[in-house]
Amino acid sequence: MKPGLVLLYTRDRNFDRILAQALSGTDTTVLVGRTVVDALEIVCRRGRELNLVVLDFNPGCRGMTLLSAIHGCYETLPILVVTSEESEPANAIAYANGARICLSKPLPAGLLASAIVDLQSMPSEGCSVSLAAGRPKGQAAARSSYRAIRNFQVR
């Protein structure tokens, strides 16, 4: 993986270590959001700098809402979703909302590292993709999505 900035949304501190192992040997900084609000703050402040988003969540409205908000603001930003169990419906919804890869736990670091490398060669809506954030719709759009989510109070 190229050096860069990664957003990780997870409540599972063990998953932090798995991602760190997957990214070992790279010059990558990981910004961790433990809540939807924290993750959206990071996206609003650093969205243009992000190279990758890794969302670790149980199928439900919080994670899917976050996924949809991030994808809505940064359509070409690679998003990898990790769920606690194999769920075809959850994966289908995640793909429909912008995920490029969906994986299930338990997840070894080597498989996660391979998936991250695969994201580099995946096309995004007809465009070739590197792990660089695409052109956002604008900071105002990110702030607007953040306010909408914050006002919705998903917890």
Side-chain angles (χ1 to χ4, degrees), residues 72-83:
C73 294
Y74 297 93
E75 290 179 352
T76 60
L77 181 61
I79 302 173
L80 187 149
V81 171
V82 178
T83 58

Side-chain angles (χ1 to χ4, degrees), residues 131-148:
L131 284 180
R135 188 178 325 177
K137 291 182 178 177
Q139 193 67 10
R143 279 193 297 273
S144 174
S145 293
Y146 172 70
R147 278 194 296 274

Side-chain angles (χ1 to χ4, degrees), residues 12-34:
D12 179 357
R13 294 189 188 275
N14 187 47
F15 192 72
D16 295 3
R17 290 188 291 274
I18 293 169
L19 182 62
Q21 289 173 343
L23 295 173
S24 68
T26 67
D27 187 20
T28 302
T29 302
V30 178
L31 304 175
V32 180
R34 299 278 180 217

Side-chain angles (χ1 to χ4, degrees), residues 36-37 61-63 65 149-150 152-155:
V36 170
V37 172
C61 70
R62 272 188 225 126
T65 302
I149 299 300
R150 190 174 181 118
F152 188 60
Q153 292 297 318
V154 178
R155 292 182 190 239

